[in-house]
Amino acid sequence: MKVAFLDRDGTIIEDYEDNLWRSITEPVFINGSIDALKAIRQKGYEIIIITNQYLINEKIITLQQYKEITDKFIKRLLDSGIEILDIFYCPHSKEENCNCMKPKEGMIKMALEKYPEIDLENSFIVGDSLCDVQLGERLGIKTFGIRLDRSKGKTIKIDSIKDIVKYL
Ligand SMILES: [Mg+2]
Ligand SMILES: [Zn+2]
């Protein structure tokens, strides 16, 4: 099973400054992201979301708020005919020094434990933050950085998630 490991905020839905997240209750999909996810599925990839949500343990948003946004996120995708396999999130604050906050590999390890059939070599990762591309480079898998200049490694720079379709 080949997997698209996708960041959520700033990659599929709009991201905001930390404090602005307090008042966010609805996911706002970035232009073209739903079509991109559809294309990724049509190319035979399962979709797993891996998202740093340190805002939870840093008490900027509540776990309930995160879950409500996630439910709406999943529903909107299902309404568009897109099933995602799973979502892994890291709720920990930066000070907790957990093993799951990207660029650490914890969420990927959890995914591999839950789905041993994952073919990591033929999977890829997309994100708009340095931590996303660092994780991809650490894993040695195909990595797409959104508007990130990255001369290091094989990371491919794209302007938005919809651009990856031509690379799959
Ligand atoms: Mg992001
Ligand atoms: Zn964590």
Side-chain angles (χ1 to χ4, degrees), residues 17-25 55 58-62 65:
E17 280 175 46
D18 288 358
N19 269 312
L20 288 175
W21 272 103
R22 283 180 207 280
S23 56
I24 302 298
T25 56
L55 298 180
E58 292 186 7
K59 311 277 188 231
I60 294 169
I61 61 168
T62 62
Q65 192 178 351

Side-chain angles (χ1 to χ4, degrees), residues 7-13 15 51 102 126-129 131-132:
D7 171 50
R8 193 192 76 177
D9 305 336
T11 297
I12 303 172
I13 61 172
D15 198 2
T51 175
K102 295 178 284 185
V126 189
D128 68 320
S129 296
C131 67
D132 298 305

